[in-house]
Amino acid sequence: GQQLNQSPQSMFIQEGEDVSMNCTSSSIFNTWLWYKQDPGEGPVLLIALYKAGELTSNGRLTAQFGITRKDSFLNISASIPSDVGIYFCAGQSGGYQKVTFGTGTKLQVIP
Amino acid sequence: DGGITQSPKYLFRKEGQNVTLSCEQNLNHDAMYWYRQDPGQGLRLIYYSQIVNDFQKGDIAEGYSVSREKKESFPLTVTSAQKNPTAFYLCASSIVSGTYLGANEKLFFGSGTQLSVL
């Protein structure tokens, strides 16, 4: 099965810094989703994107649906310790099609 | 409170044993899914079901079986044929809505079951 390429795989940042991560695919998607997973828990949906070029914010998080429909970006501003976790992107190509997940970006915040 | 409940949180399997992981949702969602997560990897789809009494194989269905007798429940059985069952298993559900071309499915996850081999 296909998996999305997500980068970076992991990152250490200082508290207060901004963070950027991205996800690329060889296929076009109609929907992009960004999730955060805490250790030993299920992923929680952060942002959903439905239209090419769309820019959506959720608090300190901002995500964009790439114009080519083959990529998406997530930015976190002014990071705090509770931002620690694994961030997954996911793409879905159309109705009743399964969701494909990225390999995850592990974020660690240094206080 | 509405949500997805997975049980147990931790499960141990002996050689040659079948074990069943429970997943229940009270969100009135039509579709349910099982994913497997290995350390450092993304989520891989095992099985999914869009409607009661119907389910489809995902990318890694070998060694697993499911049933969907009720809308709320989608149990996963890890059979003895699955030779490397140690992983974190996640159940998810979604509302299937919209047209074929514009449909979007937001997945909502349970808190997972960690399965280990004794």
Side-chain angles (χ1 to χ4, degrees):
Chain A
Q2 179 191 22
Q3 285 198 325
L4 301 175
N5 294 316
Q6 200 171 336
S7 65
Q9 286 188 336
S10 64
M11 54 196 315
F12 286 83
I13 61 168
Q14 204 75 36
E15 182 177 356
E17 288 184 346
D18 297 343
V19 175
S20 291
M21 59 191 79
N22 68 73
C23 203
T24 59
S25 169
S26 57
S27 304
I28 289 174
F29 288 116
N30 290 330
T31 300
W32 283 96
L33 307 168
W34 284 93
Y35 289 85
K36 181 189 178 216
Q37 184 180 30
D38 292 325
E41 296 295 328
V44 174
L45 182 66
L46 299 173
I47 293 178
L49 302 159
Y50 303 116
K51 188 176 177 183
E54 178 182 356
L55 188 71
T56 297
S57 293
N58 178 9
R60 293 179 295 106
L61 278 62
T62 301
Q64 184 163 24
F65 193 139
I67 290 292
T68 64
R69 296 164 69 191
K70 293 184 178 182
D71 56 8
S72 180
F73 308 88
L74 176 70
N75 295 315
I76 305 173
S77 62
S79 59
I80 59 178
S82 62
D83 290 334
V84 166
I86 302 176
Y87 291 80
F88 288 100
C89 62
Q92 192 235 343
S93 56
Y96 304 110
Q97 299 298 312
K98 67 182 178 71
V99 176
T100 301
F101 281 85
T103 49
T105 293
K106 185 174 183 179
L107 177 64
Q108 304 203 50
V109 178
I110 304 168
Chain B
D1 288 336
I4 303 172
T5 302
Q6 287 187 241
S7 63
K9 183 64 178 177
Y10 300 95
L11 187 59
F12 296 90
R13 194 192 88 167
K14 295 180 181 178
E15 288 281 341
Q17 186 182 38
N18 293 351
V19 293
T20 297
L21 284 61
S22 170
C23 179
E24 303 277 333
Q25 56 99 358
N26 60 5
L27 300 167
N28 200 32
H29 285 175
D30 288 313
M32 297 186 74
Y33 311 78
W34 275 104
Y35 287 88
R36 171 179 171 141
Q37 185 176 26
D38 293 284
Q41 296 193 32
L43 281 64
R44 293 184 291 168
L45 184 65
I46 305 173
Y47 268 97
Y48 65 103
S49 168
Q50 294 168 348
I51 197 168
V52 173
N53 292 323
D54 185 58
F55 48 83
Q56 307 295 329
K57 291 183 179 180
D59 299 317
I60 54 166
E62 186 174 350
Y64 300 98
S65 66
V66 293
S67 63
R68 187 87 187 274
E69 297 176 1
K70 299 186 299 181
K71 187 176 184 178
E72 304 79 21
S73 179
F74 191 42
L76 173 74
T77 296
V78 184
T79 74
S80 56
Q82 172 50 246
K83 298 305 180 188
N84 183 25
T86 297
F88 191 55
Y89 290 86
L90 288 160
C91 178
S93 69
S94 70
I95 298 173
V96 178
S97 61
T99 64
Y100 178 83
L101 291 179
N104 53 81
E105 296 189 44
K106 287 190 286 188
L107 289 175
F108 296 90
F109 286 88
S111 56
T113 293
Q114 176 64 50
L115 175 63
S116 303
V117 177
L118 289 175

